[in-house]
Structures are given as structure tokens and as C-alpha cells.
Amino acid sequence: MATNTPDRTRVRLADISSRAYEHPADRGALVALRSLKGFDEVFKRLSGLFNERALRLMFLASSVRVSEQQFPDVHNYVRDAAYVLDLEEIPELYVQQNPQPNAMAIGSQRPFIVMTTGLFDLLEAEEQRFVVGHEVGHILSGHAVYRTMLLALIQLAARVAWIPLGYLGLRAIVAALEEWYRKSELSCDRAGALAAQDPDAAKRALMKMAGGSRLVEMNPDSMLEQAAEYERGGDARDSMLKILNLIGHTHPFAVIRLAELDRWVQDGSYQRILDGDYPRRGTDREANVGEEARRAANSYKESWERSSDPLVGTLRDVAGSAADAGGRLFDTVADRWKSAGGRRDNGENTSNSND
């Protein structure tokens, strides 16, 4: 088994909590779900009981598992990302023959990573390192559990599409989960930058995801101007079209991802983490659900304040009150859940104690 050591000197982020790099909207949702004692563990076990085993066997039989003998450079990227982000176990990575550029982290009991040959061939070494770090970030955050929930709801929505009210209700939940999913991608772009410790390589990878392999024909400043133009929007019709364009999309558009990552690096967050200023995993239990909800709402408010989009302008004042109201709501739900859990722990409702 390979030792978990880096191929060159990088800052190791010992005991780093995923909260350090998670986008506020992603972090708020995860902290809320983690506060529901036992919820994530039950769902994790149910989702991993058969699907995870079946998928791993499928990739084991149909793809190439990287190792010191197969795709050794990629193996080093996984090893290094696990080292830098202080992941206890180095996840397996499979290279799949598929011309569509893609990578994904799968599973919750024993997570593994899949990278397609389309993405492998598109990216240079340090750009591949960023992508691998991105996927390791998904594993550290535990995104797979909640992504499985999203996929299950999407399948359920398709089955009840003939029931108008049932479908609309599920569609609203799916839309909210898709928005969370998009924010989780922004989180893991940050994790990828931290793992690779080369923000320029991260930006190059995102540029290639937008425009293909001809990097010499592209310019990062021009890409950022594209993102700014998109944020400015046009009239109300453009505002609605931007919303409609996101329906069914679980990933933000590549140009927007580039701009979001650049903003995070430029505001000093990236360097502060490398300097050791980040939350540790030992403090995860202390995370306040209500406070995270307020931060999530405020992050939307801040993004709206940067935008001159006409529709967004009408939502700015609502965000502040939504932050406070959402925080109070999550505080109440979390307190009640913890109280109920505490009563059970103290001996009430113990009819299944021998299970």
C-alpha cells in the first residue's frame, strides 16, 4: 500500500474541517443536516448498502484502477491531495474510457473517484491535480450522501410527473437541492485549489472546461470579464432566462466557477487557510446551525449587491430579513431535535435498545 506522503513540499492542512473551504450556502445546508443526530449515518448506510458496492464492482471490471503501476502520476495526485487535506484513507481512483470530460466522487462507506479519459486528455499535470483535489474535497465534505438523496428525489419526481401537485412539490425540493449541489461544486473548486496549491492551474482547468484544449487562444482576464457581463445581465427578460437556464443543471457554468474561485483567492481566504487560519474537525460539533443559515443568506445578499441585474435588485432587501428568519428557524429545529435526542439518550423510548 502506498504511503500517504507528498511528492513535493506543500502545506499540509492538518485536521482541516471541510467548513474551511465550503461555500456558505453549502456549509449551511451541511451543518444543518449534520446536526440531525443519526440522520446522515442512517442515510449513508442505506445508500451504500447495495448501490455503492455495485458501482465499485462495475468500475473495477470496466475501468483502470490507478496505482503505482497504472497511471502512477494520477496515483500520486490522489495520494498528495489526501495528504494535504488530511484524509485518513487514500481513495481509489478509476480512469474510465469516455470522451466526455468528467470526474466524480462516488460512495459514502468507502468513497472512490472516477475520472474519464476525456478529462484526463484535456488537462495538463497540475490541472489534473486540481481536479483530483476537487473530488477529494467532495469526499471530505461527505457530499455523496446528500447527492444520493437528490438523485433519488429526481427519480421519484419522474415517476409521479402525472400527478400535478405531487410533481410540483417534489420539483420545488429538487430545485432547492440542485442549487445546493451547484454551491457544493464551488466549495470543491476551493478544495482543489488548496490541494494543488496552484490557483493558476485551477483557473486553467476551468478555462479548458469552458473552451477546450486550446488554452493559448484564451485569456483569463477576458474570461473574468465574461463572468462580469453575465452578472450584470440585461433587462428582466435576461434575468428570467438565467434562472431558466439553471433548471436541471447540477453544476455552475465554467465561466462562473472561474470567477467565483478567483474572487475567493483574491479576498485572501485561500492564503489565510494556507497560513493555518482555518477551523479544525474537532470543532465541527460546535458549529451553530442558525449562524450558518444567516451566513448562507448573507452570501446570497453579497452576491446580489455585486450584481446590477434588474431582477436581483428587487431581492436585496429581502435577503437580510431572510438571513435572520432562517437563522432563528434552524436554531429552533436544531434545538428541538437535540432535545428529543437527549431524551432518548437518557433512557426514554428504549424499546429497541437490544437491536
Side-chain angles (χ1 to χ4, degrees):
M1 180 177 291
T3 56
N4 194 1
T5 55
D7 69 333
R8 66 174 174 82
T9 301
R10 290 185 182 81
V11 177
R12 189 183 193 192
L13 305 172
D15 198 36
I16 186 172
S17 168
S18 61
R19 291 183 292 122
Y21 59 78
E22 286 164 353
H23 185 281
D26 176 27
R27 187 171 64 237
L30 291 174
V31 169
L33 287 169
R34 289 166 186 156
S35 72
L36 304 180
K37 187 177 180 181
F39 169 82
D40 57 344
E41 187 61 32
V42 170
F43 196 86
K44 186 185 296 185
R45 291 184 180 280
L46 288 175
S47 64
L49 190 58
F50 294 108
N51 291 344
E52 185 176 325
R53 281 176 170 268
L55 287 170
R56 184 177 178 278
L57 287 170
M58 183 185 73
F59 285 110
L60 189 64
S62 63
S63 305
V64 177
R65 181 171 60 190
V66 306
S67 65
E68 293 177 336
Q69 290 75 41
Q70 301 190 115
F71 294 98
D73 288 340
V74 180
H75 176 70
N76 287 338
Y77 305 155
V78 184
R79 181 199 64 188
D80 294 350
Y83 177 88
V84 171
L85 296 178
D86 201 7
L87 205 65
E88 290 185 4
E89 185 174 344
I90 303 173
E92 292 181 333
L93 189 149
Y94 294 86
V95 175
Q96 179 191 44
Q97 168 56 32
N98 186 334
Q100 183 70 30
N102 194 21
M104 52 189 161
I106 299 173
S108 53
Q109 295 292 311
R110 188 183 170 191
F112 61 93
I113 300 168
V114 177
M115 178 189 291
T116 67
T117 52
L119 186 60
F120 180 83
D121 294 338
L122 176 65
L123 303 178
E124 300 298 329
E126 291 304 303
E127 298 156 9
Q128 293 174 7
R129 190 184 291 277
F130 158 73
V131 169
V132 169
H134 175 109
E135 299 306 328
V136 170
H138 280 309
I139 292 172
L140 182 57
S141 287
H143 285 143
V145 177
Y146 309 112
R147 289 178 172 213
T148 302
M149 184 191 306
L150 170 60
L151 294 174
L153 285 172
I154 289 173
Q155 293 173 355
L156 180 59
R159 291 173 184 170
V160 300
W162 59 278
I163 307 175
L165 291 179
Y167 175 77
L168 289 175
L170 277 174
R171 186 62 247 179
I173 296 172
V174 168
L177 282 170
E178 286 174 346
E179 170 62 11
W180 161 75
Y181 200 123
R182 290 189 291 269
K183 292 299 185 285
S184 75
E185 289 298 318
L186 300 181
S187 296
C188 292
D189 283 344
R190 300 172 179 182
L194 290 169
Q197 297 184 12
D198 187 349
D200 289 336
K203 294 174 188 177
R204 292 197 303 270
L206 292 170
M207 289 170 67
K208 286 183 175 181
M209 291 177 195
S213 62
R214 296 180 180 272
L215 191 64
V216 69
E217 302 290 342
M218 292 181 273
N219 178 277
D221 292 334
S222 297
M223 296 283 282
L224 291 173
E225 176 52 37
Q226 272 187 238
E229 181 179 341
Y230 179 85
E231 286 185 350
R232 286 195 298 270
D235 55 24
R237 290 172 298 177
D238 292 320
S239 303
M240 290 303 302
L241 288 171
K242 283 192 280 188
I243 295 172
L244 292 173
N245 283 342
L246 288 174
I247 294 176
H249 283 267
T250 56
H251 286 58
F253 299 123
V255 174
I256 305 306
R257 289 172 65 179
L258 173 64
E260 289 283 350
L261 181 61
D262 180 74
R263 187 177 294 117
W264 182 73
V265 171
Q266 295 301 325
D267 72 15
S269 299
Y270 168 78
Q271 190 58 50
R272 281 194 295 274
I273 293 174
L274 292 188
D275 291 340
D277 182 11
Y278 57 81
R280 269 61 177 177
R281 288 170 208 167
T283 65
D284 282 347
R285 292 179 178 272
E286 301 169 11
N288 183 278
V289 183
E291 182 59 32
E292 295 297 346
R294 283 185 281 271
R295 288 177 181 172
N298 283 330
S299 75
Y300 282 107
K301 183 180 179 182
E302 289 169 6
S303 68
W304 295 339
E305 287 173 345
R306 289 194 302 267
S307 175
S308 56
D309 186 296
L311 180 60
V312 163
T314 65
L315 302 174
R316 289 174 182 153
D317 293 336
V318 177
S321 58
D324 292 334
R328 290 193 298 271
L329 174 62
F330 279 115
D331 280 340
T332 301
V333 171
D335 288 343
R336 289 181 178 177
W337 184 277
K338 289 175 183 177
S339 296
R343 287 195 298 273
R344 286 193 296 271
D345 292 341
N346 288 331
E348 294 184 23
N349 193 22
T350 56
S351 58
N352 296 321
S353 58
N354 293 324
D355 291 349

